[in-house]
Amino acid sequence: MTRKFILVLSFCAAFTGLFAQHTAIDVVPNHYFKEGKELYDLHQWSASFQDFEQYLKHASETEAGMKEDAEYYMACIAYEMRRTDAEDKLNVYLKNYPSSPYKNRVFSLIGMLEYEQKHYDKALEYFRQVD
């Protein structure tokens, strides 16, 4: 009986390492992105913005696609909150990602900001760039 117990215990101990937890370095950036996206979908702009900021601080260079998305969401949040830097964030996004799949929406958001400021000629320029 003792031999069986020791054998089973040894067997369990050998496989315990296979189910180790992920390190915080692997999990934290993705957690921030996922949480930020969920909050964005719920229109919780401020909390979402903070999560995307944290994601960008911790994300590695290999996560270029997710970093692009995080910057897009942050620019959209700046627009939704009508932050004073919203137009700058949207223009910087377009400059950094000129072939982004989101560029039409970004052009329209900048156009709306220009329209709200009664800069109708500028607004029309941006709206004309929307495909």
Side-chain angles (χ1 to χ4, degrees), residues 69-131:
D69 286 351
E71 289 181 35
Y72 165 74
Y73 287 120
M74 288 178 70
C76 289
I77 292 166
Y79 167 82
E80 294 294 343
M81 294 176 67
R82 296 306 194 266
R83 290 174 49 141
T84 56
D85 64 344
E87 190 171 346
D88 291 337
K89 285 194 174 299
L90 291 163
N91 279 313
V92 166
Y93 178 81
L94 284 175
K95 180 182 171 204
N96 291 340
Y97 307 104
S99 60
S100 169
Y102 305 119
K103 74 179 178 183
N104 286 326
R105 177 142 193 269
V106 174
F107 281 134
S108 67
L109 295 178
I110 296 171
M112 286 303 298
L113 289 173
E114 293 293 350
Y115 179 82
E116 290 170 1
Q117 296 171 14
K118 299 186 185 334
H119 302 149
Y120 302 117
D121 291 338
K122 284 185 177 181
L124 190 56
E125 286 177 33
Y126 282 105
F127 288 137
R128 284 187 175 151
Q129 294 182 57
V130 175
D131 185 16

Side-chain angles (χ1 to χ4, degrees), residues 61-74:
E61 293 300 317
T62 60
E63 298 172 333
M66 286 178 67
K67 288 174 82 171
E68 178 181 342
D69 286 351
E71 289 181 35
Y72 165 74
Y73 287 120
M74 288 178 70

